Amino acid sequence: MAVYNLTKFTEFILIGLSDIPEVRYPLFMVLAVIYQITLLGNIAILLAIATEKKLHTPMYYFLANLSLLDIFCPSTIVPKILRNLLTKKQNISFLGCALQLFFLIATEGTEVFLLSVMAYDRYVAICFPLRYTLIMTKRLCVQLTTGTWASGFLHALLHTVFTFRLSFCKSNRVNQYYCDIPPVVALSCSSTYVAEMLVLVIGGFLATSTFLITGISYFYIISTILKIRSVEGKRKAFSTCASHLLVVGLFYGTTLFTYVRPSSHHSPAKDRFISMLNVVITPMLNPMIYSLRNTEVKGGLKKILCYKTKT
């Protein structure tokens, strides 16, 4: 049974990139620019979808939710990183650490579910084009979206509760620049078996199942596209899912590179820097991928820019 009164700390110390002091201010500038680009890019996508009637379809409804997640995810950690780099303070309260971990897992978990829903949407659009509007109704879209957000936040709540019910008395120095499950659990002086098994079993099951849904959807999508005889027909069919396929590849690629690759025993700072890929870089690139490859999104963005120029 956990001995809860063994927790002696009221705050944690985040071991960020401050062990490389000569790059503190250049890194602050780079992260600040990346964060601003991320916010502006995703807000522009949201405005384009809201103002352009052609984009009021299930595909862009899901894309709007993806943009919201790409705003929320880096916002859970980047402002704190910028504050630490600027003030040289690395502390975070116990409650602040729990909230940061909760919202980070919630947004990333919701994005995993949402990407599989978006893959299913593309599967229906390409494999059953005549029945698309009958299948992907507004009610179903709302239900799927509500389910992804609810699943992501419930999943995060479960991990957060079982992580912070542990007793912490070894050290309060989190070997990361934000609160994540592995570095926080490593500080526990009580049994971490349940918390670790939850990550392994539940997290692994959800990640595997959503990956399979996405993979199977694209297997049938590609099979259907290859059956199209005309080159122009293949090009049009593939263009409807190319952006999403790039986003899926980027998300899973950075996730695997961050969490599955062997750690660098000689350069822990390098490991922490690489872990930025999934939570900082990917949200910035997603709106670029959709705006550069999608003519309808580009049209919506041009209208917004033209309207602002006129006003």
Side-chain angles (χ1 to χ4, degrees):
M1 186 173 71
V3 183
Y4 298 101
N5 60 4
L6 286 177
T7 298
K8 301 177 181 179
F9 310 119
T10 58
E11 65 178 17
F12 291 102
I13 304 298
L14 300 173
I15 308 301
L17 300 172
S18 58
D19 52 350
I20 317 175
E22 61 272 16
V23 300
R24 180 189 302 274
Y25 294 113
L27 186 60
F28 173 86
M29 294 300 297
V30 170
L31 284 177
V33 170
I34 290 175
Y35 185 52
Q36 288 180 350
I37 293 173
T38 301
L39 293 180
L40 290 174
N42 285 288
I43 290 172
I45 293 288
L46 289 172
L47 289 174
I49 293 173
T51 56
E52 180 59 59
K53 291 184 178 180
K54 291 181 180 179
L55 303 182
H56 293 176
T57 62
M59 174 181 172
Y60 297 107
Y61 172 73
F62 295 133
L63 176 58
N65 281 270
L66 181 63
S67 291
L68 283 175
L69 289 170
D70 286 340
I71 291 173
F72 294 152
C73 183
S75 295
T76 62
I77 65 169
V78 174
K80 184 66 176 176
I81 297 172
L82 294 177
R83 177 256 189 186
N84 290 350
L85 288 171
L86 197 60
T87 63
K88 299 183 181 180
K89 294 181 180 180
Q90 299 170 262
N91 61 302
I92 185 172
S93 67
F94 191 88
L95 177 61
C97 186
L99 290 174
Q100 190 179 72
L101 184 144
F102 169 75
F103 284 109
L104 180 65
I105 298 175
T107 52
E108 287 197 323
T110 303
E111 186 162 345
V112 170
F113 295 128
L114 184 62
L115 289 175
S116 63
V117 168
M118 294 174 75
Y120 172 73
D121 172 70
R122 293 299 84 206
Y123 160 73
V124 176
I126 293 174
C127 298
F128 305 98
L130 299 179
R131 297 173 56 194
Y132 178 72
T133 55
L134 297 176
I135 298 174
M136 298 302 297
T137 61
K138 184 180 293 186
R139 180 180 179 182
L140 179 61
C141 291
V142 172
Q143 289 175 341
L144 289 173
T145 306
T146 304
T148 58
W149 284 84
S151 299
F153 276 75
L154 287 174
H155 177 238
L157 180 63
L158 180 67
H159 286 298
T160 304
V161 168
F162 278 90
T163 297
F164 284 91
R165 69 187 290 272
L166 299 172
S167 302
F168 300 99
C169 56
K170 288 182 180 179
S171 171
N172 68 335
R173 297 175 67 84
V174 179
N175 189 28
Q176 186 56 281
Y177 53 87
Y178 60 91
C179 291
D180 200 0
I181 294 175
V184 172
V185 169
L187 303 178
S188 175
C189 53
S190 58
S191 175
T192 61
Y193 178 79
V194 175
E196 291 174 345
M197 287 303 296
L198 282 174
V199 174
L200 182 64
V201 177
I202 297 180
F205 171 76
L206 293 177
T208 303
S209 59
T210 52
F211 180 79
L212 285 175
I213 292 172
T214 304
I216 292 171
S217 296
Y218 272 102
F219 172 79
Y220 284 106
I221 288 171
I222 294 172
S223 299
T224 302
I225 291 175
L226 292 176
K227 293 177 182 178
I228 300 175
R229 294 183 179 181
S230 67
V231 176
E232 183 64 19
K234 289 181 179 180
R235 187 191 65 79
K236 287 183 178 180
F238 185 75
S239 66
T240 63
C241 61
S243 298
H244 178 254
L245 189 58
L246 283 174
V247 169
V248 169
L250 182 64
F251 180 85
Y252 282 104
T254 53
T255 301
L256 291 173
F257 187 71
T258 300
Y259 293 104
V260 179
R261 66 182 183 83
S263 62
S264 174
H265 299 290
H266 302 289
S267 181
K270 182 180 178 181
D271 288 338
R272 293 195 293 269
F273 185 77
I274 290 173
S275 65
M276 288 186 182
L277 288 173
N278 199 41
V279 294
V280 178
I281 304 300
T282 301
M284 178 188 69
L285 295 178
N286 285 349
M288 295 182 183
I289 292 172
Y290 272 99
S291 60
L292 291 175
R293 294 194 57 88
N294 194 298
T295 55
E296 292 179 327
V297 173
K298 285 192 287 187
L301 292 174
K302 286 180 181 178
K303 285 187 177 181
I304 293 174
L305 292 173
C306 292
Y307 175 77
K308 287 186 176 180
T309 302
K310 290 178 180 179
T311 55

